[in-house]
Amino acid sequence: NITIEIGELVRDYLDITFNDDYLSHTRWAKAIVTYFNAADEPYSYNSPQTFTYIATDGYGYFEDGTNAELNRNLLISSLNKYIPENTAGKIPIFAEGVGKVVIDSTTTEITDNGNTNQKIQYITIPQNSSTVQIYDTDDSTLLKTIKVTNLCEPKFTPYKITFVNKFGAFEDLYFFKRSSETLTVTNEKYKRNTVTNIASEYSTSEGQSQLYNVNGNTTLNLNTGFISETMNETIEELFLSENVWIRYENKTLPVITKTKNLAYRTVLNDKLINYTVDFEFAFDKVNNVR
């Protein structure tokens, strides 16, 4: 037996981009296997053999074992969704495993034309909806029910964080409560000669120390507000995500999850659950793109 790990090779072809557009970033992966016998001669029976897979930028946990099969219907872990009042939301589903989605009393039939650009579909949750039901391809078997909570936040500005979750899909997570912004500045410094050659004098309005290569990074400190304990999985996947964006001042901007330690909160230990997370913009404040 020969075992070849193709996951890292396939991942090189998954270019993840996001601009609030919720596109399906999947690819077909085809493995063609030719078998040989002990004499190193081609084995003619059923050879070569072709295997075709649909590839997403997802992952399994160690305890899931080898080649774990992830969800083939709803592509989020938590069955709770928190959305600002009078705001539409998005949920990702895998088209091959879903027949229809019922949001309150409105039904959306799911079709799969076989193209990779619609294997992951993002269903719009209309404003102020309450439940989302995911049905199997037979259109009668209820697979999952999502509870949607519409929150009115009159004091603070909710921020939408979008990240690539463990299923390789874009997932939204809103931070509703107190936020703060910090600018960290970096620079280099040298001492310069301010004496003029003609009069051998210097001006007291010119400093000896001069800064250069001045730049900065902005960090946002965000709070989720009180959420269900079932959101722990979502927070965990946010911390493990390599691709994160924030909707900030009507722009979609890349950020890095700066907080590295996650203390899981439970109703038993903490009563009310709120997570505080630091995000750093993934670019310098002063534009130095060359």
Side-chain angles (χ1 to χ4, degrees):
N1 288 331
I2 298 176
T3 301
I4 300 176
E5 171 59 62
I6 66 171
E8 293 301 319
L9 301 175
V10 174
R11 197 182 187 207
D12 289 340
Y13 294 89
L14 296 173
D15 297 322
I16 307 300
T17 59
F18 181 75
N19 191 15
D20 214 35
D21 44 8
Y22 299 94
L23 301 178
S24 175
H25 292 278
T26 59
R27 294 289 185 271
W28 288 115
K30 181 183 293 185
I32 302 174
V33 181
T34 301
Y35 300 96
F36 295 82
N37 60 20
D40 202 24
E41 299 170 341
Y43 187 62
S44 59
Y45 178 73
N46 202 27
S47 177
Q49 192 172 9
T50 300
F51 300 89
T52 303
Y53 309 94
I54 187 72
T56 68
D57 193 19
Y59 58 87
Y61 294 132
F62 175 84
E63 56 269 27
D64 295 332
T66 305
N67 292 332
E69 178 71 24
L70 303 180
N71 284 358
R72 297 185 64 86
N73 40 72
L74 177 65
L75 298 183
I76 59 175
S77 296
S78 176
L79 296 181
N80 282 277
K81 196 75 177 172
Y82 294 86
I83 303 176
E85 197 174 48
N86 301 321
T87 302
K90 295 281 188 181
I91 56 166
I93 57 98
F94 189 57
E96 289 185 6
V98 177
K100 68 178 180 181
V101 176
V102 179
I103 303 177
D104 293 340
S105 59
T106 303
T107 300
T108 300
E109 299 290 340
I110 305 301
T111 59
D112 178 15
N113 63 19
N115 294 330
T116 57
N117 62 0
Q118 54 83 68
K119 285 296 181 181
I120 296 179
Q121 298 184 20
Y122 294 88
I123 307 301
T124 299
I125 305 175
Q127 298 179 11
N128 305 321
S129 300
S130 58
T131 59
V132 179
Q133 295 176 310
I134 310 297
Y135 284 83
D136 204 347
T137 51
D138 60 10
D139 283 355
S140 60
T141 303
L142 178 61
L143 299 173
K144 305 280 180 61
T145 299
I146 303 172
K147 178 185 176 183
V148 181
T149 302
N150 300 279
L151 295 179
C152 175
E153 179 47 63
K155 185 176 182 180
F156 298 102
T157 299
Y159 286 98
K160 184 182 73 171
I161 295 291
T162 302
F163 64 97
V164 177
N165 63 18
K166 67 176 293 187
F167 307 106
F170 298 119
E171 181 173 354
D172 295 335
L173 177 63
Y174 279 91
F175 286 74
F176 288 91
K177 292 300 181 180
R178 180 181 180 272
S179 63
S180 60
E181 188 172 340
T182 304
L183 176 65
T184 302
V185 176
T186 59
N187 61 65
E188 297 180 68
K189 184 174 69 172
Y190 70 94
K191 281 197 172 183
R192 61 179 180 172
N193 182 11
T194 60
V195 177
T196 62
N197 292 329
I198 298 176
S200 296
E201 296 176 349
Y202 62 88
S203 172
T204 56
S205 64
E206 293 186 67
Q208 283 184 288
S209 297
Q210 177 65 45
L211 298 181
Y212 70 102
N213 287 344
V214 179
N215 218 316
N217 288 99
T218 302
T219 298
L220 290 175
N221 177 274
L222 304 181
N223 287 270
T224 60
F226 298 134
I227 56 178
S228 167
E229 187 177 325
T230 62
M231 295 295 291
N232 282 354
E233 289 184 81
T234 303
I235 298 293
E236 178 182 83
E237 291 173 28
L238 167 64
F239 273 58
L240 294 173
S241 180
E242 296 179 357
N243 299 281
V244 186
W245 297 265
I246 187 173
R247 192 65 181 169
Y248 184 81
E249 295 181 350
N250 296 319
K251 294 180 181 179
T252 300
L253 301 176
V255 293
I256 296 172
T257 306
K258 192 174 181 180
T259 304
K260 300 304 179 185
N261 297 316
L262 173 61
Y264 296 94
R265 302 186 182 280
T266 64
V267 173
L268 180 62
N269 294 334
D270 304 286
K271 300 298 187 291
L272 297 175
I273 298 174
N274 171 77
Y275 282 100
T276 301
V277 185
D278 289 336
F279 296 95
E280 181 181 81
F281 285 107
F283 49 85
D284 293 329
K285 187 68 174 178
V286 177
N287 187 0
N288 56 9
V289 177
R290 299 291 185 265

